[in-house]
Amino acid sequence: MAFVNKQTKEINCKIVFYGPQRSGKTRTLRFIHEQTKPENRGELISVSADDERTLFIDYVPLILGSYQGLRTRLHLYAMPGAPISQMNQRLILKGVDGIVFVADSSPDRVEDNVESLGGLRNLLAEIKKDPDKIPMVFQYNKQDLPGAISAEKLRSLLGARDVDFASNARSGQGLFPALKQISKLVLAQVDINGG
């Protein structure tokens, strides 16, 4: 559940971008960071290899504005697709309020997407988060590639339940609508009086 600090009049929400290796999670966070006004974003923190693969984490703090009179901060994390320990994965997911599942639309990545989503569901269950109740948005990245699997087919294969978006992390197509939707879903669950 998002953290409500009544003294500072802030809501802090943790959103994790999750998906298979090289699906576009890091590029998504970088695009969002670059396109957000400097006064509304913090520093992009990335622990990456030379080839831009995320080794541990990418992190971007954003200020959304006001929600029910409280300043709203989003803490965006990209889970590395490269193998890291389950302990580190659980640590990154601890306290998560919402998830953007970034699927790769390349035809040869169907199995990777399904496997990654299954892994996510297992990790959520391990940290006592109901995978069917946590707000989740699906982002079908690389829709611009020739032969890309359609959003409709990915929706069927992955069983998208809330909202999904065709996206292109290079051009930015669909990234902000997905972020806006996951933010709405997360904020709808905030109990301002209980925090």
Side-chain angles (χ1 to χ4, degrees):
M1 178 64 73
F3 176 70
V4 178
N5 186 329
K6 291 180 183 178
Q7 287 184 318
T8 61
K9 298 184 179 179
E10 283 186 348
I11 302 170
N12 287 276
C13 306
K14 183 177 185 177
I15 297 172
V16 174
F17 288 71
Y18 193 100
Q21 188 171 1
R22 297 192 176 272
S23 61
K25 302 174 298 292
T26 294
R27 191 170 295 277
T28 294
L29 257 59
R30 286 185 179 162
F31 187 91
I32 290 169
H33 182 262
E34 290 167 4
Q35 298 301 313
T36 301
K37 292 179 184 176
E39 61 268 20
N40 293 334
R41 63 175 162 85
E43 182 181 348
L44 170 68
I45 298 170
S46 185
V47 181
S48 302
D50 291 339
D51 62 358
E52 295 189 4
R53 283 181 310 120
T54 300
L55 295 177
F56 180 67
I57 196 170
D58 293 310
Y59 169 71
V60 174
L62 296 179
I63 298 172
L64 272 189
S66 181
Y67 177 76
Q68 296 190 18
L70 301 174
R71 184 166 64 167
T72 305
R73 292 181 181 267
L74 296 180
H75 302 272
L76 309 180
Y77 294 82
M79 178 76 75
I84 64 170
S85 74
Q86 281 196 342
M87 182 180 73
N88 285 337
Q89 290 177 330
R90 286 191 297 270
L91 181 64
I92 294 167
L93 284 171
K94 185 176 182 178
V96 67
D97 298 304
I99 295 170
V100 177
F101 186 84
V102 182
D104 190 321
S105 300
S106 304
D108 60 341
R109 300 296 306 275
V110 171
E111 193 173 307
D112 294 336
N113 290 322
V114 172
E115 185 178 303
S116 182
L117 184 58
L120 171 62
R121 293 180 65 78
N122 291 338
L123 283 167
L124 288 170
E126 287 177 24
I127 62 168
K128 309 289 189 255
K129 294 268 188 185
D130 186 338
D132 295 319
K133 291 186 179 172
I134 191 161
M136 189 180 306
V137 168
F138 288 78
Q139 181 179 308
Y140 307 130
N141 197 31
K142 304 181 185 179
Q143 284 288 298
D144 59 313
L145 296 179
I149 300 170
S150 71
E152 293 77 22
K153 184 165 184 172
L154 283 167
R155 183 177 303 120
S156 174
L157 289 166
L158 298 174
R161 67 179 192 286
D162 287 329
V163 181
D164 52 2
F165 298 87
S167 71
N168 178 335
R170 289 184 188 274
S171 72
Q173 172 201 353
L175 304 187
F176 279 101
L179 180 60
K180 183 177 180 181
Q181 186 61 39
I182 193 61
S183 300
K184 282 182 182 180
L185 292 170
V186 166
L187 289 171
Q189 294 189 349
V190 172
D191 178 6
I192 290 178
N193 297 318

